[in-house]
Amino acid sequence: MSDIFSRIEHSRTADEVVQQIESLILEGVLRTGDRLPGERELARQFDVSRPILRDALKALEGRGLLTTKAGGGTHVADVIGQLFTKPVTDLISTHRKAVTDYLEYRREIEAVAAEYAARRATPEDLALLDRIMARMDEAHRTGDFDDEAEIDVEFHHAVCECAHNIILLHTLRSCYRLLSEGVFQNRLLVFSVPGAREALLEQHRAIHAAIKAADPIAARKAAMDHITYVERSMAEAERSGDWQRVSRLRLRQRSDDIEPTRKRS
């Protein structure tokens, strides 16, 4: 984080510090929970006096963008993901149709994000995407389902960042937050479908490759194909789980029927 703040030129006012931090939050450089450098270091980087810096931080805290804890430093407040309030999140988690609508929405929006990413990704964006893809490969190799699922979400975050569209960025971050908070408890069911882990990895590689090749059409298609596969696999996993439940009940019931017969004989 030491290199993301710029020296304030001209009048060196609190407003200029506020605007720079606002921009970093809006552009997704500073994310929820990120800790800012200490007051002395931050004042040095901005090249402003500590009283000016304090005024700026106080203004940002008053607007709910930063939060300060005694002895814990200054952090970016929880300003992302509030598209879905707690009551709405609770409703989504208890209505099955919401899962279908969620994936339908993601398919269209992520297609746009991937297309924009293929057009706009910078060399630095691609370097970050490369690192995430390498971690995904490693998680797949070690068979860590939870880690693989977490990196999956991080990958989609990064694609959205590559799109360089602020509204897309914050809208999709809000959507992904539903996953990280476990609103869709059945999302890991996809990994139980035979061949799913390999298919998902290849789909992420296809999105990655299309963005690196600056091919917006291929990137859009790869993103849509990925979500379509997730939707189909979740439905298949749910059906398989229901079949297993019914089969166990049948076995239990018929075992109970057989036991008295054996005793009578």
Side-chain angles (χ1 to χ4, degrees), residues 169-205:
L169 174 66
H170 293 287
T171 301
L172 278 171
R173 275 191 176 177
S174 183
C175 280
Y176 299 144
R177 184 163 182 168
L178 295 178
L179 295 179
S180 62
E181 292 184 348
V183 173
F184 300 118
Q185 296 291 344
N186 57 354
R187 73 184 180 109
L188 293 180
L189 282 176
V190 175
F191 289 96
S192 69
V193 175
R197 290 181 62 242
E198 290 71 22
L200 290 169
L201 182 63
E202 287 306 315
Q203 289 157 22
H204 287 113
R205 284 174 175 163

PDB file of all heavy atoms in Angstrom, residues 169-205:
ATOM      1  N   LEU A 169     -17.778  -2.839 -11.372  1.00  0.00           N
ATOM      2  CA  LEU A 169     -16.920  -3.296 -10.276  1.00  0.00           C
ATOM      3  C   LEU A 169     -17.706  -3.458  -8.978  1.00  0.00           C
ATOM      4  O   LEU A 169     -17.685  -4.521  -8.350  1.00  0.00           O
ATOM      5  CB  LEU A 169     -15.777  -2.305 -10.074  1.00  0.00           C
ATOM      6  CG  LEU A 169     -14.859  -2.561  -8.880  1.00  0.00           C
ATOM      7  CD1 LEU A 169     -14.074  -3.839  -9.066  1.00  0.00           C
ATOM      8  CD2 LEU A 169     -13.920  -1.375  -8.674  1.00  0.00           C
ATOM      9  N   HIS A 170     -18.438  -2.436  -8.605  1.00  0.00           N
ATOM     10  CA  HIS A 170     -19.122  -2.472  -7.315  1.00  0.00           C
ATOM     11  C   HIS A 170     -20.390  -3.332  -7.357  1.00  0.00           C
ATOM     12  O   HIS A 170     -20.740  -3.958  -6.357  1.00  0.00           O
ATOM     13  CB  HIS A 170     -19.409  -1.046  -6.845  1.00  0.00           C
ATOM     14  CG  HIS A 170     -18.167  -0.283  -6.514  1.00  0.00           C
ATOM     15  ND1 HIS A 170     -17.438  -0.540  -5.379  1.00  0.00           N
ATOM     16  CD2 HIS A 170     -17.496   0.677  -7.189  1.00  0.00           C
ATOM     17  CE1 HIS A 170     -16.378   0.262  -5.357  1.00  0.00           C
ATOM     18  NE2 HIS A 170     -16.396   1.004  -6.452  1.00  0.00           N
ATOM     19  N   THR A 171     -21.031  -3.397  -8.499  1.00  0.00           N
ATOM     20  CA  THR A 171     -22.214  -4.260  -8.623  1.00  0.00           C
ATOM     21  C   THR A 171     -21.814  -5.718  -8.494  1.00  0.00           C
ATOM     22  O   THR A 171     -22.439  -6.494  -7.757  1.00  0.00           O
ATOM     23  CB  THR A 171     -22.920  -4.037  -9.976  1.00  0.00           C
ATOM     24  OG1 THR A 171     -23.312  -2.669 -10.088  1.00  0.00           O
ATOM     25  CG2 THR A 171     -24.169  -4.900 -10.081  1.00  0.00           C
ATOM     26  N   LEU A 172     -20.763  -6.118  -9.202  1.00  0.00           N
ATOM     27  CA  LEU A 172     -20.338  -7.519  -9.146  1.00  0.00           C
ATOM     28  C   LEU A 172     -19.694  -7.861  -7.807  1.00  0.00           C
ATOM     29  O   LEU A 172     -19.854  -8.977  -7.316  1.00  0.00           O
ATOM     30  CB  LEU A 172     -19.386  -7.827 -10.308  1.00  0.00           C
ATOM     31  CG  LEU A 172     -20.110  -8.134 -11.625  1.00  0.00           C
ATOM     32  CD1 LEU A 172     -19.125  -8.217 -12.788  1.00  0.00           C
ATOM     33  CD2 LEU A 172     -20.903  -9.432 -11.524  1.00  0.00           C
ATOM     34  N   ARG A 173     -18.998  -6.921  -7.195  1.00  0.00           N
ATOM     35  CA  ARG A 173     -18.470  -7.185  -5.857  1.00  0.00           C
ATOM     36  C   ARG A 173     -19.604  -7.498  -4.886  1.00  0.00           C
ATOM     37  O   ARG A 173     -19.484  -8.367  -4.027  1.00  0.00           O
ATOM     38  CB  ARG A 173     -17.677  -5.979  -5.350  1.00  0.00           C
ATOM     39  CG  ARG A 173     -16.240  -5.974  -5.816  1.00  0.00           C
ATOM     40  CD  ARG A 173     -15.457  -4.922  -5.078  1.00  0.00           C
ATOM     41  NE  ARG A 173     -14.051  -4.985  -5.453  1.00  0.00           N
ATOM     42  CZ  ARG A 173     -13.120  -4.146  -5.002  1.00  0.00           C
ATOM     43  NH1 ARG A 173     -13.471  -3.205  -4.160  1.00  0.00           N
ATOM     44  NH2 ARG A 173     -11.872  -4.264  -5.378  1.00  0.00           N
ATOM     45  N   SER A 174     -20.696  -6.781  -5.047  1.00  0.00           N
ATOM     46  CA  SER A 174     -21.854  -7.029  -4.195  1.00  0.00           C
ATOM     47  C   SER A 174     -22.413  -8.425  -4.443  1.00  0.00           C
ATOM     48  O   SER A 174     -22.786  -9.131  -3.505  1.00  0.00           O
ATOM     49  CB  SER A 174     -22.935  -5.975  -4.472  1.00  0.00           C
ATOM     50  OG  SER A 174     -24.032  -6.130  -3.620  1.00  0.00           O
ATOM     51  N   CYS A 175     -22.444  -8.837  -5.706  1.00  0.00           N
ATOM     52  CA  CYS A 175     -22.917 -10.188  -6.046  1.00  0.00           C
ATOM     53  C   CYS A 175     -21.999 -11.259  -5.463  1.00  0.00           C
ATOM     54  O   CYS A 175     -22.464 -12.257  -4.902  1.00  0.00           O
ATOM     55  CB  CYS A 175     -22.973 -10.353  -7.567  1.00  0.00           C
ATOM     56  SG  CYS A 175     -24.431  -9.628  -8.316  1.00  0.00           S
ATOM     57  N   TYR A 176     -20.698 -11.063  -5.590  1.00  0.00           N
ATOM     58  CA  TYR A 176     -19.751 -12.068  -5.103  1.00  0.00           C
ATOM     59  C   TYR A 176     -19.775 -12.149  -3.584  1.00  0.00           C
ATOM     60  O   TYR A 176     -19.451 -13.184  -3.006  1.00  0.00           O
ATOM     61  CB  TYR A 176     -18.333 -11.740  -5.577  1.00  0.00           C
ATOM     62  CG  TYR A 176     -18.179 -11.727  -7.072  1.00  0.00           C
ATOM     63  CD1 TYR A 176     -17.330 -10.824  -7.701  1.00  0.00           C
ATOM     64  CD2 TYR A 176     -18.895 -12.611  -7.876  1.00  0.00           C
ATOM     65  CE1 TYR A 176     -17.185 -10.802  -9.075  1.00  0.00           C
ATOM     66  CE2 TYR A 176     -18.764 -12.586  -9.245  1.00  0.00           C
ATOM     67  CZ  TYR A 176     -17.912 -11.679  -9.848  1.00  0.00           C
ATOM     68  OH  TYR A 176     -17.790 -11.661 -11.204  1.00  0.00           O
ATOM     69  N   ARG A 177     -20.168 -11.066  -2.961  1.00  0.00           N
ATOM     70  CA  ARG A 177     -20.233 -11.078  -1.503  1.00  0.00           C
ATOM     71  C   ARG A 177     -21.276 -12.092  -1.008  1.00  0.00           C
ATOM     72  O   ARG A 177     -21.123 -12.681   0.061  1.00  0.00           O
ATOM     73  CB  ARG A 177     -20.572  -9.685  -0.990  1.00  0.00           C
ATOM     74  CG  ARG A 177     -20.552  -9.589   0.514  1.00  0.00           C
ATOM     75  CD  ARG A 177     -20.470  -8.151   0.937  1.00  0.00           C
ATOM     76  NE  ARG A 177     -20.405  -8.031   2.380  1.00  0.00           N
ATOM     77  CZ  ARG A 177     -20.093  -6.910   2.997  1.00  0.00           C
ATOM     78  NH1 ARG A 177     -19.815  -5.841   2.300  1.00  0.00           N
ATOM     79  NH2 ARG A 177     -20.064  -6.866   4.302  1.00  0.00           N
ATOM     80  N   LEU A 178     -22.321 -12.292  -1.789  1.00  0.00           N
ATOM     81  CA  LEU A 178     -23.318 -13.300  -1.422  1.00  0.00           C
ATOM     82  C   LEU A 178     -22.674 -14.674  -1.335  1.00  0.00           C
ATOM     83  O   LEU A 178     -23.052 -15.506  -0.513  1.00  0.00           O
ATOM     84  CB  LEU A 178     -24.463 -13.318  -2.440  1.00  0.00           C
ATOM     85  CG  LEU A 178     -25.336 -12.063  -2.520  1.00  0.00           C
ATOM     86  CD1 LEU A 178     -26.397 -12.232  -3.602  1.00  0.00           C
ATOM     87  CD2 LEU A 178     -25.984 -11.744  -1.180  1.00  0.00           C
ATOM     88  N   LEU A 179     -21.680 -14.922  -2.187  1.00  0.00           N
ATOM     89  CA  LEU A 179     -20.972 -16.202  -2.147  1.00  0.00           C
ATOM     90  C   LEU A 179     -20.069 -16.284  -0.918  1.00  0.00           C
ATOM     91  O   LEU A 179     -20.076 -17.276  -0.194  1.00  0.00           O
ATOM     92  CB  LEU A 179     -20.120 -16.380  -3.410  1.00  0.00           C
ATOM     93  CG  LEU A 179     -20.845 -16.489  -4.750  1.00  0.00           C
ATOM     94  CD1 LEU A 179     -19.830 -16.622  -5.864  1.00  0.00           C
ATOM     95  CD2 LEU A 179     -21.800 -17.662  -4.754  1.00  0.00           C
ATOM     96  N   SER A 180     -19.290 -15.231  -0.693  1.00  0.00           N
ATOM     97  CA  SER A 180     -18.328 -15.277   0.409  1.00  0.00           C
ATOM     98  C   SER A 180     -19.024 -15.351   1.763  1.00  0.00           C
ATOM     99  O   SER A 180     -18.460 -15.864   2.728  1.00  0.00           O
ATOM    100  CB  SER A 180     -17.403 -14.050   0.360  1.00  0.00           C
ATOM    101  OG  SER A 180     -18.138 -12.857   0.522  1.00  0.00           O
ATOM    102  N   GLU A 181     -20.247 -14.838   1.846  1.00  0.00           N
ATOM    103  CA  GLU A 181     -20.982 -14.885   3.108  1.00  0.00           C
ATOM    104  C   GLU A 181     -21.833 -16.145   3.242  1.00  0.00           C
ATOM    105  O   GLU A 181     -22.590 -16.289   4.195  1.00  0.00           O
ATOM    106  CB  GLU A 181     -21.859 -13.635   3.247  1.00  0.00           C
ATOM    107  CG  GLU A 181     -21.039 -12.359   3.429  1.00  0.00           C
ATOM    108  CD  GLU A 181     -21.901 -11.139   3.658  1.00  0.00           C
ATOM    109  OE1 GLU A 181     -23.130 -11.225   3.459  1.00  0.00           O
ATOM    110  OE2 GLU A 181     -21.345 -10.092   4.033  1.00  0.00           O
ATOM    111  N   GLY A 182     -21.718 -17.047   2.263  1.00  0.00           N
ATOM    112  CA  GLY A 182     -22.400 -18.332   2.362  1.00  0.00           C
ATOM    113  C   GLY A 182     -23.897 -18.277   2.154  1.00  0.00           C
ATOM    114  O   GLY A 182     -24.633 -19.148   2.621  1.00  0.00           O
ATOM    115  N   VAL A 183     -24.379 -17.237   1.445  1.00  0.00           N
ATOM    116  CA  VAL A 183     -25.818 -17.134   1.187  1.00  0.00           C
ATOM    117  C   VAL A 183     -26.302 -18.316   0.365  1.00  0.00           C
ATOM    118  O   VAL A 183     -27.380 -18.863   0.595  1.00  0.00           O
ATOM    119  CB  VAL A 183     -26.155 -15.799   0.472  1.00  0.00           C
ATOM    120  CG1 VAL A 183     -27.619 -15.765   0.040  1.00  0.00           C
ATOM    121  CG2 VAL A 183     -25.853 -14.622   1.407  1.00  0.00           C
ATOM    122  N   PHE A 184     -25.477 -18.733  -0.598  1.00  0.00           N
ATOM    123  CA  PHE A 184     -25.815 -19.901  -1.410  1.00  0.00           C
ATOM    124  C   PHE A 184     -25.024 -21.092  -0.878  1.00  0.00           C
ATOM    125  O   PHE A 184     -23.902 -21.364  -1.312  1.00  0.00           O
ATOM    126  CB  PHE A 184     -25.504 -19.656  -2.888  1.00  0.00           C
ATOM    127  CG  PHE A 184     -26.262 -18.483  -3.460  1.00  0.00           C
ATOM    128  CD1 PHE A 184     -25.588 -17.386  -3.948  1.00  0.00           C
ATOM    129  CD2 PHE A 184     -27.651 -18.468  -3.477  1.00  0.00           C
ATOM    130  CE1 PHE A 184     -26.272 -16.295  -4.467  1.00  0.00           C
ATOM    131  CE2 PHE A 184     -28.350 -17.385  -3.987  1.00  0.00           C
ATOM    132  CZ  PHE A 184     -27.662 -16.293  -4.487  1.00  0.00           C
ATOM    133  N   GLN A 185     -25.596 -21.789   0.063  1.00  0.00           N
ATOM    134  CA  GLN A 185     -24.893 -22.874   0.752  1.00  0.00           C
ATOM    135  C   GLN A 185     -24.531 -24.020  -0.189  1.00  0.00           C
ATOM    136  O   GLN A 185     -23.630 -24.801   0.083  1.00  0.00           O
ATOM    137  CB  GLN A 185     -25.770 -23.418   1.892  1.00  0.00           C
ATOM    138  CG  GLN A 185     -26.048 -22.404   2.985  1.00  0.00           C
ATOM    139  CD  GLN A 185     -24.815 -22.059   3.810  1.00  0.00           C
ATOM    140  OE1 GLN A 185     -23.824 -22.768   3.778  1.00  0.00           O
ATOM    141  NE2 GLN A 185     -24.886 -20.951   4.534  1.00  0.00           N
ATOM    142  N   ASN A 186     -25.251 -24.118  -1.306  1.00  0.00           N
ATOM    143  CA  ASN A 186     -25.037 -25.260  -2.196  1.00  0.00           C
ATOM    144  C   ASN A 186     -24.016 -24.996  -3.294  1.00  0.00           C
ATOM    145  O   ASN A 186     -23.884 -25.790  -4.211  1.00  0.00           O
ATOM    146  CB  ASN A 186     -26.366 -25.679  -2.833  1.00  0.00           C
ATOM    147  CG  ASN A 186     -27.034 -24.537  -3.589  1.00  0.00           C
ATOM    148  OD1 ASN A 186     -26.562 -23.394  -3.538  1.00  0.00           O
ATOM    149  ND2 ASN A 186     -28.106 -24.827  -4.285  1.00  0.00           N
ATOM    150  N   ARG A 187     -23.275 -23.893  -3.217  1.00  0.00           N
ATOM    151  CA  ARG A 187     -22.371 -23.589  -4.330  1.00  0.00           C
ATOM    152  C   ARG A 187     -21.242 -24.604  -4.445  1.00  0.00           C
ATOM    153  O   ARG A 187     -20.745 -24.856  -5.545  1.00  0.00           O
ATOM    154  CB  ARG A 187     -21.807 -22.175  -4.206  1.00  0.00           C
ATOM    155  CG  ARG A 187     -20.752 -21.979  -3.125  1.00  0.00           C
ATOM    156  CD  ARG A 187     -20.363 -20.515  -3.058  1.00  0.00           C
ATOM    157  NE  ARG A 187     -19.366 -20.265  -2.042  1.00  0.00           N
ATOM    158  CZ  ARG A 187     -18.104 -19.949  -2.310  1.00  0.00           C
ATOM    159  NH1 ARG A 187     -17.678 -19.893  -3.545  1.00  0.00           N
ATOM    160  NH2 ARG A 187     -17.262 -19.713  -1.331  1.00  0.00           N
ATOM    161  N   LEU A 188     -20.837 -25.216  -3.300  1.00  0.00           N
ATOM    162  CA  LEU A 188     -19.765 -26.207  -3.357  1.00  0.00           C
ATOM    163  C   LEU A 188     -20.251 -27.537  -3.914  1.00  0.00           C
ATOM    164  O   LEU A 188     -19.450 -28.421  -4.203  1.00  0.00           O
ATOM    165  CB  LEU A 188     -19.160 -26.413  -1.966  1.00  0.00           C
ATOM    166  CG  LEU A 188     -18.389 -25.218  -1.390  1.00  0.00           C
ATOM    167  CD1 LEU A 188     -17.846 -25.549  -0.016  1.00  0.00           C
ATOM    168  CD2 LEU A 188     -17.259 -24.804  -2.316  1.00  0.00           C
ATOM    169  N   LEU A 189     -21.585 -27.670  -4.089  1.00  0.00           N
ATOM    170  CA  LEU A 189     -22.116 -28.896  -4.687  1.00  0.00           C
ATOM    171  C   LEU A 189     -21.565 -29.118  -6.091  1.00  0.00           C
ATOM    172  O   LEU A 189     -21.439 -30.248  -6.541  1.00  0.00           O
ATOM    173  CB  LEU A 189     -23.653 -28.833  -4.760  1.00  0.00           C
ATOM    174  CG  LEU A 189     -24.440 -29.091  -3.470  1.00  0.00           C
ATOM    175  CD1 LEU A 189     -25.922 -28.880  -3.715  1.00  0.00           C
ATOM    176  CD2 LEU A 189     -24.174 -30.488  -2.960  1.00  0.00           C
ATOM    177  N   VAL A 190     -21.257 -28.014  -6.760  1.00  0.00           N
ATOM    178  CA  VAL A 190     -20.751 -28.121  -8.136  1.00  0.00           C
ATOM    179  C   VAL A 190     -19.508 -29.002  -8.182  1.00  0.00           C
ATOM    180  O   VAL A 190     -19.317 -29.794  -9.106  1.00  0.00           O
ATOM    181  CB  VAL A 190     -20.431 -26.717  -8.710  1.00  0.00           C
ATOM    182  CG1 VAL A 190     -19.795 -26.833 -10.088  1.00  0.00           C
ATOM    183  CG2 VAL A 190     -21.701 -25.894  -8.780  1.00  0.00           C
ATOM    184  N   PHE A 191     -18.655 -28.898  -7.149  1.00  0.00           N
ATOM    185  CA  PHE A 191     -17.405 -29.658  -7.138  1.00  0.00           C
ATOM    186  C   PHE A 191     -17.644 -31.159  -6.967  1.00  0.00           C
ATOM    187  O   PHE A 191     -16.738 -31.957  -7.177  1.00  0.00           O
ATOM    188  CB  PHE A 191     -16.492 -29.142  -6.023  1.00  0.00           C
ATOM    189  CG  PHE A 191     -15.914 -27.783  -6.302  1.00  0.00           C
ATOM    190  CD1 PHE A 191     -16.517 -26.645  -5.801  1.00  0.00           C
ATOM    191  CD2 PHE A 191     -14.785 -27.638  -7.088  1.00  0.00           C
ATOM    192  CE1 PHE A 191     -16.005 -25.389  -6.063  1.00  0.00           C
ATOM    193  CE2 PHE A 191     -14.260 -26.387  -7.355  1.00  0.00           C
ATOM    194  CZ  PHE A 191     -14.862 -25.257  -6.841  1.00  0.00           C
ATOM    195  N   SER A 192     -18.875 -31.544  -6.572  1.00  0.00           N
ATOM    196  CA  SER A 192     -19.168 -32.964  -6.397  1.00  0.00           C
ATOM    197  C   SER A 192     -19.595 -33.637  -7.694  1.00  0.00           C
ATOM    198  O   SER A 192     -19.676 -34.858  -7.780  1.00  0.00           O
ATOM    199  CB  SER A 192     -20.279 -33.143  -5.345  1.00  0.00           C
ATOM    200  OG  SER A 192     -21.515 -32.655  -5.833  1.00  0.00           O
ATOM    201  N   VAL A 193     -19.881 -32.844  -8.721  1.00  0.00           N
ATOM    202  CA  VAL A 193     -20.272 -33.412 -10.014  1.00  0.00           C
ATOM    203  C   VAL A 193     -19.029 -34.006 -10.681  1.00  0.00           C
ATOM    204  O   VAL A 193     -17.984 -33.349 -10.757  1.00  0.00           O
ATOM    205  CB  VAL A 193     -20.890 -32.326 -10.917  1.00  0.00           C
ATOM    206  CG1 VAL A 193     -21.177 -32.873 -12.308  1.00  0.00           C
ATOM    207  CG2 VAL A 193     -22.165 -31.780 -10.284  1.00  0.00           C
ATOM    208  N   PRO A 194     -19.103 -35.253 -11.149  1.00  0.00           N
ATOM    209  CA  PRO A 194     -17.933 -35.879 -11.788  1.00  0.00           C
ATOM    210  C   PRO A 194     -17.358 -35.016 -12.913  1.00  0.00           C
ATOM    211  O   PRO A 194     -18.093 -34.571 -13.799  1.00  0.00           O
ATOM    212  CB  PRO A 194     -18.508 -37.197 -12.332  1.00  0.00           C
ATOM    213  CG  PRO A 194     -19.655 -37.499 -11.431  1.00  0.00           C
ATOM    214  CD  PRO A 194     -20.258 -36.166 -11.080  1.00  0.00           C
ATOM    215  N   GLY A 195     -16.073 -34.767 -12.840  1.00  0.00           N
ATOM    216  CA  GLY A 195     -15.396 -33.993 -13.888  1.00  0.00           C
ATOM    217  C   GLY A 195     -15.559 -32.490 -13.769  1.00  0.00           C
ATOM    218  O   GLY A 195     -14.993 -31.736 -14.568  1.00  0.00           O
ATOM    219  N   ALA A 196     -16.309 -32.029 -12.752  1.00  0.00           N
ATOM    220  CA  ALA A 196     -16.599 -30.597 -12.648  1.00  0.00           C
ATOM    221  C   ALA A 196     -15.349 -29.763 -12.353  1.00  0.00           C
ATOM    222  O   ALA A 196     -15.157 -28.699 -12.937  1.00  0.00           O
ATOM    223  CB  ALA A 196     -17.651 -30.347 -11.577  1.00  0.00           C
ATOM    224  N   ARG A 197     -14.499 -30.242 -11.455  1.00  0.00           N
ATOM    225  CA  ARG A 197     -13.316 -29.462 -11.088  1.00  0.00           C
ATOM    226  C   ARG A 197     -12.428 -29.215 -12.301  1.00  0.00           C
ATOM    227  O   ARG A 197     -11.920 -28.108 -12.502  1.00  0.00           O
ATOM    228  CB  ARG A 197     -12.527 -30.169  -9.989  1.00  0.00           C
ATOM    229  CG  ARG A 197     -13.230 -30.161  -8.638  1.00  0.00           C
ATOM    230  CD  ARG A 197     -12.400 -30.842  -7.559  1.00  0.00           C
ATOM    231  NE  ARG A 197     -11.132 -30.174  -7.339  1.00  0.00           N
ATOM    232  CZ  ARG A 197      -9.940 -30.745  -7.530  1.00  0.00           C
ATOM    233  NH1 ARG A 197      -9.848 -31.994  -7.951  1.00  0.00           N
ATOM    234  NH2 ARG A 197      -8.829 -30.063  -7.304  1.00  0.00           N
ATOM    235  N   GLU A 198     -12.261 -30.243 -13.113  1.00  0.00           N
ATOM    236  CA  GLU A 198     -11.435 -30.101 -14.322  1.00  0.00           C
ATOM    237  C   GLU A 198     -12.104 -29.143 -15.316  1.00  0.00           C
ATOM    238  O   GLU A 198     -11.447 -28.289 -15.922  1.00  0.00           O
ATOM    239  CB  GLU A 198     -11.220 -31.460 -14.981  1.00  0.00           C
ATOM    240  CG  GLU A 198     -10.314 -32.402 -14.205  1.00  0.00           C
ATOM    241  CD  GLU A 198     -10.949 -32.936 -12.926  1.00  0.00           C
ATOM    242  OE1 GLU A 198     -12.201 -32.936 -12.842  1.00  0.00           O
ATOM    243  OE2 GLU A 198     -10.200 -33.348 -12.017  1.00  0.00           O
ATOM    244  N   ALA A 199     -13.428 -29.275 -15.463  1.00  0.00           N
ATOM    245  CA  ALA A 199     -14.159 -28.420 -16.405  1.00  0.00           C
ATOM    246  C   ALA A 199     -14.096 -26.954 -15.966  1.00  0.00           C
ATOM    247  O   ALA A 199     -13.864 -26.057 -16.789  1.00  0.00           O
ATOM    248  CB  ALA A 199     -15.614 -28.880 -16.507  1.00  0.00           C
ATOM    249  N   LEU A 200     -14.282 -26.718 -14.675  1.00  0.00           N
ATOM    250  CA  LEU A 200     -14.246 -25.342 -14.170  1.00  0.00           C
ATOM    251  C   LEU A 200     -12.869 -24.717 -14.375  1.00  0.00           C
ATOM    252  O   LEU A 200     -12.755 -23.539 -14.746  1.00  0.00           O
ATOM    253  CB  LEU A 200     -14.613 -25.321 -12.689  1.00  0.00           C
ATOM    254  CG  LEU A 200     -16.080 -25.632 -12.359  1.00  0.00           C
ATOM    255  CD1 LEU A 200     -16.247 -25.842 -10.859  1.00  0.00           C
ATOM    256  CD2 LEU A 200     -16.995 -24.526 -12.847  1.00  0.00           C
ATOM    257  N   LEU A 201     -11.836 -25.505 -14.127  1.00  0.00           N
ATOM    258  CA  LEU A 201     -10.477 -24.993 -14.318  1.00  0.00           C
ATOM    259  C   LEU A 201     -10.253 -24.597 -15.780  1.00  0.00           C
ATOM    260  O   LEU A 201      -9.712 -23.524 -16.069  1.00  0.00           O
ATOM    261  CB  LEU A 201      -9.449 -26.039 -13.895  1.00  0.00           C
ATOM    262  CG  LEU A 201      -7.979 -25.615 -14.008  1.00  0.00           C
ATOM    263  CD1 LEU A 201      -7.671 -24.447 -13.079  1.00  0.00           C
ATOM    264  CD2 LEU A 201      -7.054 -26.799 -13.691  1.00  0.00           C
ATOM    265  N   GLU A 202     -10.685 -25.447 -16.689  1.00  0.00           N
ATOM    266  CA  GLU A 202     -10.515 -25.150 -18.119  1.00  0.00           C
ATOM    267  C   GLU A 202     -11.313 -23.917 -18.533  1.00  0.00           C
ATOM    268  O   GLU A 202     -10.870 -23.131 -19.380  1.00  0.00           O
ATOM    269  CB  GLU A 202     -10.933 -26.361 -18.963  1.00  0.00           C
ATOM    270  CG  GLU A 202      -9.949 -27.515 -18.901  1.00  0.00           C
ATOM    271  CD  GLU A 202      -8.521 -27.096 -19.254  1.00  0.00           C
ATOM    272  OE1 GLU A 202      -8.351 -26.354 -20.249  1.00  0.00           O
ATOM    273  OE2 GLU A 202      -7.588 -27.481 -18.526  1.00  0.00           O
ATOM    274  N   GLN A 203     -12.489 -23.749 -17.932  1.00  0.00           N
ATOM    275  CA  GLN A 203     -13.301 -22.572 -18.251  1.00  0.00           C
ATOM    276  C   GLN A 203     -12.622 -21.285 -17.783  1.00  0.00           C
ATOM    277  O   GLN A 203     -12.629 -20.275 -18.491  1.00  0.00           O
ATOM    278  CB  GLN A 203     -14.688 -22.713 -17.621  1.00  0.00           C
ATOM    279  CG  GLN A 203     -15.553 -23.767 -18.284  1.00  0.00           C
ATOM    280  CD  GLN A 203     -16.637 -24.298 -17.380  1.00  0.00           C
ATOM    281  OE1 GLN A 203     -17.026 -23.643 -16.401  1.00  0.00           O
ATOM    282  NE2 GLN A 203     -17.138 -25.473 -17.677  1.00  0.00           N
ATOM    283  N   HIS A 204     -12.038 -21.326 -16.596  1.00  0.00           N
ATOM    284  CA  HIS A 204     -11.314 -20.153 -16.112  1.00  0.00           C
ATOM    285  C   HIS A 204     -10.086 -19.879 -16.988  1.00  0.00           C
ATOM    286  O   HIS A 204      -9.755 -18.724 -17.267  1.00  0.00           O
ATOM    287  CB  HIS A 204     -10.889 -20.352 -14.655  1.00  0.00           C
ATOM    288  CG  HIS A 204     -12.027 -20.263 -13.694  1.00  0.00           C
ATOM    289  ND1 HIS A 204     -12.479 -21.334 -12.963  1.00  0.00           N
ATOM    290  CD2 HIS A 204     -12.838 -19.227 -13.359  1.00  0.00           C
ATOM    291  CE1 HIS A 204     -13.491 -20.959 -12.205  1.00  0.00           C
ATOM    292  NE2 HIS A 204     -13.734 -19.689 -12.432  1.00  0.00           N
ATOM    293  N   ARG A 205      -9.433 -20.946 -17.411  1.00  0.00           N
ATOM    294  CA  ARG A 205      -8.290 -20.769 -18.314  1.00  0.00           C
ATOM    295  C   ARG A 205      -8.719 -20.131 -19.634  1.00  0.00           C
ATOM    296  O   ARG A 205      -8.001 -19.301 -20.206  1.00  0.00           O
ATOM    297  CB  ARG A 205      -7.627 -22.117 -18.586  1.00  0.00           C
ATOM    298  CG  ARG A 205      -6.764 -22.636 -17.434  1.00  0.00           C
ATOM    299  CD  ARG A 205      -6.258 -24.031 -17.719  1.00  0.00           C
ATOM    300  NE  ARG A 205      -5.330 -24.507 -16.692  1.00  0.00           N
ATOM    301  CZ  ARG A 205      -5.001 -25.769 -16.525  1.00  0.00           C
ATOM    302  NH1 ARG A 205      -5.520 -26.708 -17.316  1.00  0.00           N
ATOM    303  NH2 ARG A 205      -4.145 -26.118 -15.574  1.00  0.00           N
TER     304      ARG A 205
END
